[in-house]
Amino acid sequence: MTDDLADRLVVTLDLDTVDDKAAFMERIAGALGLPDWFGRNWDALADSLTDRTVWPPAAVGRGLLLVVRGWRRYATARPEEWDVALEVFSTVERRTPGLTVALALGGSHEGPLDLPG
């Protein structure tokens, strides 16, 4: 397993239209190709992210870079749930060599930011 991010399989988790936990779980299950028995709860997500046997096959030997984009809508709509998602991502990343989760800061599709100046 490489520590080099450039060699990892990149999977994009697109949360553009997600505004609740159920939609989040469906979206991540689809992005990662999780099995039908994936429990769609926070513990099951943590278990799946730490279990290389359910990762996309190309990631098993290379590692996985999960890029989360379009997350602001969900974070705004359900801040408590988003905090749990961030905690799961942070915890599994610390415990799982070869796994990196990155939050894309966004683009024009997410609307303008209210910046000072």
Side-chain angles (χ1 to χ4, degrees):
M1 186 84 44
T2 180
D3 287 332
D4 183 6
L5 293 179
D7 190 43
R8 295 196 183 169
L9 175 69
V10 177
V11 173
T12 301
L13 173 59
D14 184 352
L15 300 179
D16 274 345
T17 59
V18 169
D19 58 9
D20 65 17
K21 180 181 172 185
F24 174 89
M25 291 295 172
E26 286 302 315
R27 194 66 58 91
I28 197 163
L32 292 171
L34 296 176
D36 290 339
W37 49 259
F38 168 61
R40 288 165 175 74
N41 62 60
W42 300 117
D43 289 334
L45 177 59
D47 291 344
S48 295
L49 289 172
T50 58
D51 181 357
R52 287 182 184 85
T53 67
V54 297
W55 285 10
V60 174
R62 297 171 43 196
L64 178 63
L65 172 57
L66 180 63
V67 178
V68 184
R69 65 174 296 283
W71 52 269
R72 292 179 195 271
R73 176 181 174 148
Y74 182 46
T76 300
R78 304 287 179 123
E80 298 85 11
E81 289 177 12
W82 180 243
D83 286 346
V84 175
L86 291 177
E87 182 61 30
V88 169
F89 289 149
S90 176
T91 299
V92 300
E93 188 179 57
R94 282 192 309 270
R95 293 185 352 206
T96 312
L99 174 66
T100 299
V101 179
L103 299 181
L105 295 180
S108 60
H109 67 281
E110 293 190 40
L113 297 175
D114 293 324
L115 299 175

